[in-house]
Amino acid sequence: MADADYQQLSIFVLGPWVIGAFADCLLQGLLLGQFTNYFRLYRDDRPFLKAIVAGLVILTCLKTIQSCAIVWVQNILLFNDQPGAINLYSTTWWESGNPLMVAFIGLYVQAYFLYRLRSLSKSWIVVIPITLILVFAFLAMVVATVAIFKARVNEIVSLPLWYTVAQVLSDIAGDLLMTMAMIYHLLLVRKTVIPQTAGLLSALIRLILLSAAPAAVCAMINLLLSQLFDGTKNLMSSAFTQALSKLYAVSMMYMLNSRRSLRAGYDASDVIFGSGSSHQMSRRGQAHTDSDRSLGDIAVHTETRNHIDFHDSFDHTASSGKSGKFRDEGSIV
């Protein structure tokens, strides 16, 4: 291969990895701030929820280390071996397995939102089809990664069209369906509450859309680039792949950390907020479970003055008819 060809490959194959690593580190810095705020401000959250966030801390930190390692090996250790740096994608597990690592973090966050959706909808019929779509997308990525591992050494792998259709499109479709299902059930709840509380639910809907938008846009750009270029001479899509896992994590932490600002915005209304802790929930007012809807760390009054408790998602205590208090599982925020 001529030197000019290697120069082009360096720009369009190695360059995107550098850009992706910059984006990864930038978003990881944002996430570290979000993680710090979460553990500082939400100490009363359920241990299970804290464990989920702690798991996300570990996964995202490991992903950043992997991104930096790829750039270091490509541009420092293999500085005088340009062909070797270009072909790392098909010769090393820690680079060829990068899309699978991104998909795993995405599935981790998606599982969290699916649990929230189950708690809001109170029906597995809504959740199971979306779960199957997202699991199918992840399994397609597993198969694609195995195909990369089995590719010939020193050859840049061009994944077949089914990879894009099965993995990227399924992932986008699953995310879109999950977002729309959450919004639909929030709209159903909004019909039963007083105007002040309806404003809160509208804020929750906007929150869901804002948190889902960055990852959705990134995934669509990734899809577009994967269709424009076959991957043998241009890996621009890898830059967006690197950022995608962190955008998923940002969406989850944005939802969790927005609870305090929602409380502050509606403290003066009929909306009552709790922290989700057991000792605080024991002090909440009277409730009628006929209208119970699990939306998160929030309690509202319906037009018939029924008290709806939208509290933390991991309290599995059953309803209590005598005391008028209830605990239920699941929430949106």
Side-chain angles (χ1 to χ4, degrees):
M1 186 178 292
D3 291 340
D5 293 331
Y6 275 120
Q7 184 178 6
Q8 285 293 106
L9 289 177
S10 295
I11 295 173
F12 294 107
V13 175
L14 299 182
W17 287 105
V18 177
I19 296 173
F22 282 145
D24 186 292
C25 291
L26 177 65
L27 292 172
Q28 184 63 24
L30 176 62
L31 281 170
L32 290 177
Q34 289 183 319
F35 293 143
T36 301
N37 286 336
Y38 173 78
F39 286 110
R40 179 172 59 89
L41 299 176
Y42 297 96
R43 296 176 181 177
D44 290 331
D45 272 354
R46 299 296 174 188
F48 187 35
L49 182 55
K50 291 180 180 178
I52 291 176
V53 175
L56 191 62
V57 173
I58 296 172
L59 288 174
T60 54
C61 287
L62 290 176
K63 185 64 184 68
T64 297
I65 293 172
Q66 181 252 4
S67 297
C68 294
I70 289 176
V71 174
W72 176 267
V73 173
Q74 286 178 341
N75 297 281
I76 303 299
L77 299 184
L78 297 177
F79 182 79
N80 292 322
D81 184 10
Q82 198 174 41
I86 292 172
N87 291 312
L88 278 177
Y89 190 66
S90 58
T91 59
T92 58
W93 67 268
W94 40 267
E95 186 168 329
S96 57
N98 179 71
L100 183 59
M101 300 174 194
V102 172
F104 181 79
I105 295 176
L107 186 64
Y108 186 91
V109 174
Q110 288 164 342
Y112 164 80
F113 283 114
L114 284 171
Y115 187 88
R116 300 293 194 176
L117 177 59
R118 165 64 181 85
S119 302
L120 176 63
S121 66
K122 306 295 184 183
S123 173
W124 285 107
I125 297 177
V126 177
V127 177
I128 289 177
I130 301 175
T131 302
L132 292 176
I133 292 174
L134 295 175
V135 171
F136 175 77
F138 180 76
L139 292 178
M141 177 60 74
V142 172
V143 174
T145 303
V146 172
I148 295 174
F149 285 151
K150 291 184 176 180
R152 290 180 297 172
V153 178
N154 296 328
E155 178 179 328
I156 299 176
V157 178
S158 176
L159 295 176
L161 179 61
W162 67 264
Y163 160 78
T164 300
V165 176
Q167 201 279 325
V168 183
L169 289 183
S170 297
D171 222 16
I172 293 175
D175 288 339
L176 179 61
L177 289 173
M178 183 164 53
T179 300
M180 298 309 296
M182 286 184 176
I183 293 174
Y184 172 75
H185 286 91
L186 281 173
L187 290 174
L188 290 181
V189 175
R190 192 172 64 174
K191 295 179 180 180
T192 67
V193 298
I194 60 177
Q196 294 94 323
T197 302
L200 169 64
L201 296 180
S202 297
L204 285 174
I205 292 173
R206 290 193 297 270
L207 180 64
I208 292 172
L209 291 173
L210 286 173
S211 63
V217 172
C218 184
M220 290 179 183
I221 294 175
N222 188 22
L223 171 63
L224 177 63
L225 292 175
S226 66
Q227 290 297 291
L228 292 176
F229 309 106
D230 61 6
T232 58
K233 296 182 179 180
N234 191 312
L235 278 176
M236 288 300 296
S237 61
S238 64
F240 293 91
T241 301
Q242 290 289 78
L244 186 57
S245 62
K246 298 304 174 69
L247 290 175
Y248 272 120
V250 167
S251 69
M252 174 177 163
M253 295 310 303
Y254 180 60
M255 289 283 290
L256 287 172
N257 287 336
S258 294
R259 291 174 292 171
R260 185 171 292 269
S261 61
L262 285 176
R263 291 192 192 102
Y266 287 87
D267 275 345
S269 70
D270 278 340
V271 183
I272 304 170
F273 298 87
S275 69
S277 62
S278 298
H279 70 278
Q280 286 177 322
M281 282 190 291
S282 66
R283 298 198 300 267
R284 288 175 179 164
Q286 295 298 311
H288 300 280
T289 58
D290 292 340
S291 301
D292 291 355
R293 290 279 184 169
S294 225
L295 291 180
D297 206 13
I298 305 165
V300 301
H301 294 275
T302 65
E303 293 183 34
T304 58
R305 309 311 297 172
N306 285 341
H307 182 222
I308 304 175
D309 195 355
F310 302 129
H311 55 276
D312 185 80
S313 54
F314 299 102
D315 188 353
H316 300 281
T317 307
S319 301
S320 175
K322 293 182 179 180
S323 66
K325 302 182 183 69
F326 77 95
R327 296 177 184 176
D328 199 6
E329 59 183 50
S331 64
I332 291 298
V333 297

